[in-house]
Structure formats: structure tokens, C-alpha cells
Amino acid sequence: MPHADRPALAEVLGAPHRWYHVMELAPGVTTPGFIDLRRHVEASGLPPALHGQRALDVGTFDGFWAFEMERRGAQVVAIDVDQIPPPDTPRSRWAAVQAELDGSVPGTGFELLKRWYGSSVERRSVSVYDLTPQAIGGPVDLVFVGAMLLHLRDPVGALERVREVLRPGGRLVLFEPVDRELSRKKEPMARFLQGGTVWTWWYPNPACLRDWVTTAGFGELREHGTCEAVDATGNKQRLLALHARA
Ligand SMILES: C[S@@+](CC[C@H](N)C(=O)[O-])C[C@H]1O[C@@H](n2cnc3c(N)ncnc32)[C@H](O)[C@@H]1O
């Protein structure tokens, strides 16, 4: 039975929004999007049942992971930044970022999907650097961080903030791209990319991603596995799932 606030399909698909996530609206009907993660959910190692848990999705964009965690039974809060340009944009890139984002309203896709699914996920406009339990209505049992550390100046600082909102022993699920070539190296390394791209700071190798997590104070680090997700540009992203405990 559709709920009263459900938008028409045409409203969702016709919205002036550049979708990041391919989202299933009905069997065989999806939003367009930059990346289709539906086949890769299990590779993240997200626990199948999250009933009774409170979860946080960091850098939610259209909300793919937030809605997935809600489907698995969690009570979910999601955060993202709404400033244009986003806070980590270097001064030299402001004009390029502003031109690219011209006219876009952050959260448009998320709010449409929330109404479409009749979801209770709450989206808050909070930067990961400003995370505190108060900023998200209390501590959480699980934090999901997907494809976000690469966009930050200070990934370790962000992970420190993430750790502070987790209950003691709470779980971090990271699902981040790693650099294919540097993955051959055992030493921790990250490729610095702000010299040539607008959005991305780092492409780490797995050893570097692990060290970011332990440097931020997490323990019980476990590699869940990798997968290859093809984005709309045809680029194959190698995503590594790492789990750890606060
Ligand atoms: C590449 S998208 C990843 C979306 C989603 N997490 C996923 O795994 O598919 C990166 C997201 O991180 C958000 N983001 C960037 N800087 C952030 C910050 N300082 N705090 C919170 N979110 C941020 C972006 O706005 C964007 O929604």
C-alpha cells in the first residue's frame, strides 16, 4: 500500500538532480546514477541483521547505504555536507567546483527516495569533522563509511571523529576505493590526486587504509574482501571492505 507522501515516479525520475547512486524504485525501474552498488552490497560485509542497532552513514549522498542499513533493521541517521563548495575544496578549485555544482541542491535525491521508500532515515547536514554524539542525536553501534576518505584532506582526523560517536566496541565498516597499482606494495602509500582532479585527494593502498584506521585508534581490524565496481565513466573501482572496532 503506497504511503500518503509517496511522490509520483515521474517526480522522482524527472527531478533536476544528478544522481550518484543507481537506486531501485521498483522491480526493473531504477534512477540513473554514477555507480550501481547493488551487486556489491555483500562484498561490504555489512551484517545481514541490524535489528535493535543504531547506525550512522557518513557521506550518504543519495542514501544507498543508509536505506540498505534500514532494510536490515537498523535505526539510521545519515550525514552529508551541504556547503558549495564542500569544506575540503582547496581554494584553487573553488571556481571549478562551483561551476560543476551550479544549480544543484544537496540532499535532493535523498529526500525524494526517503519519501519514495517511506523511510525513517534522518539526514543531517553535518561534516564528518564536526561529528559528535550530540550532532547525530546520540551514540551509534555501527558506522558505515563508503567512498569518502579519498575526498578528504584529513582522513585520519575524520576517522577519529567517527570513533567518538561509536559506543565502546561499536563497529566501523569501511568500503573505500584502493589504488590498483599501489596495491602491489606492502608499505603504506597513497597517491596524491589534488594536482589533477577536482574532487579527490588520495588513492591509498590497502596497507595505508589499514594504517589510517589503526592510527585513528580503532582495534580488531579485519579485511572483509575486495570487489570491482564499474562507474558511469567505465572506470573500474577496486573497493576494499575493512571492519574494525572502537
Ligand atoms: C563518492 S560519494 C560516496 C557516497 C556513499 N557514501 C557511497 O559509498 O556510495 C562521497 C560523499 O561524501 C560526502 N562528503 C564529502 N566531504 C564530506 C564531509 N566533510 N563530511 C561528510 N560528508 C562528506 C560527499 O558530499 C558525498 O556525498
Side-chain angles (χ1 to χ4, degrees):
M1 185 77 162
H3 41 278
D5 190 35
R6 192 177 207 184
L9 188 61
E11 183 184 343
V12 179
L13 292 177
H17 176 59
R18 195 149 45 139
W19 293 91
Y20 179 78
H21 291 127
V22 172
M23 300 292 293
E24 190 158 312
L25 301 172
V29 184
T30 64
T31 63
F34 179 73
I35 194 154
D36 188 348
L37 291 165
R38 290 176 296 162
R39 279 195 310 119
H40 305 295
V41 173
E42 298 318 318
S44 73
L46 205 56
L50 292 172
H51 302 276
Q53 298 199 34
R54 189 158 191 266
L56 168 69
D57 182 25
V58 180
T60 194
F61 215 123
D62 296 323
F64 179 86
W65 294 104
F67 297 125
E68 182 59 38
M69 290 193 286
E70 183 179 53
R71 265 194 289 278
R72 291 173 186 228
Q75 186 213 329
V76 183
V77 58
I79 63 163
D80 211 317
V81 284
D82 290 345
Q83 300 106 285
I84 295 177
D88 273 351
T89 313
R91 184 69 189 85
S92 59
R93 305 268 180 239
W94 278 11
V97 168
Q98 248 150 355
E100 207 171 309
L101 295 179
D102 187 33
S104 69
V105 178
T108 298
F110 182 96
E111 294 303 335
L112 280 167
L113 291 168
K114 177 173 167 154
R115 286 171 53 216
W116 177 264
Y117 295 133
S119 161
S120 302
V121 176
E122 186 191 355
R123 180 184 183 280
R124 294 196 181 192
S125 178
V126 177
S127 166
V128 66
Y129 297 124
D130 299 327
L131 258 181
T132 60
Q134 295 86 325
I136 53 165
V140 294
D141 305 286
L142 185 151
V143 178
F144 188 93
V145 177
M148 208 206 46
L149 297 179
L150 73 160
H151 299 299
L152 301 180
R153 271 176 203 253
D154 180 7
V156 175
L159 287 168
E160 286 176 340
R161 298 279 83 73
V162 164
R163 187 165 168 267
E164 280 167 25
V165 301
L166 274 164
R167 294 202 170 96
R171 188 199 300 249
L172 168 71
V173 177
L174 262 192
F175 200 40
E176 288 279 325
V178 285
D179 187 280
R180 193 175 302 274
E181 209 179 306
L182 296 182
S183 291
R184 296 196 202 105
K185 309 274 186 191
K186 290 210 170 0
E187 314 87 77
M189 294 179 176
R191 194 179 296 279
F192 180 74
L193 288 166
Q194 264 298 337
T197 70
V198 169
W199 297 109
T200 305
W201 282 87
W202 314 104
Y203 244 49
N205 68 357
C208 180
L209 203 55
R210 286 195 295 270
D211 280 2
W212 284 350
V213 174
T214 51
T215 306
F218 287 91
E220 297 180 42
L221 188 66
R222 192 168 60 79
E223 255 187 50
H224 188 82
T226 55
C227 69
E228 301 239 317
V230 185
D231 66 32
T233 66
N235 181 36
K236 277 190 198 157
Q237 296 189 16
R238 179 177 294 186
L239 295 166
L240 172 64
L242 281 183
H243 292 207
R245 295 277 180 183

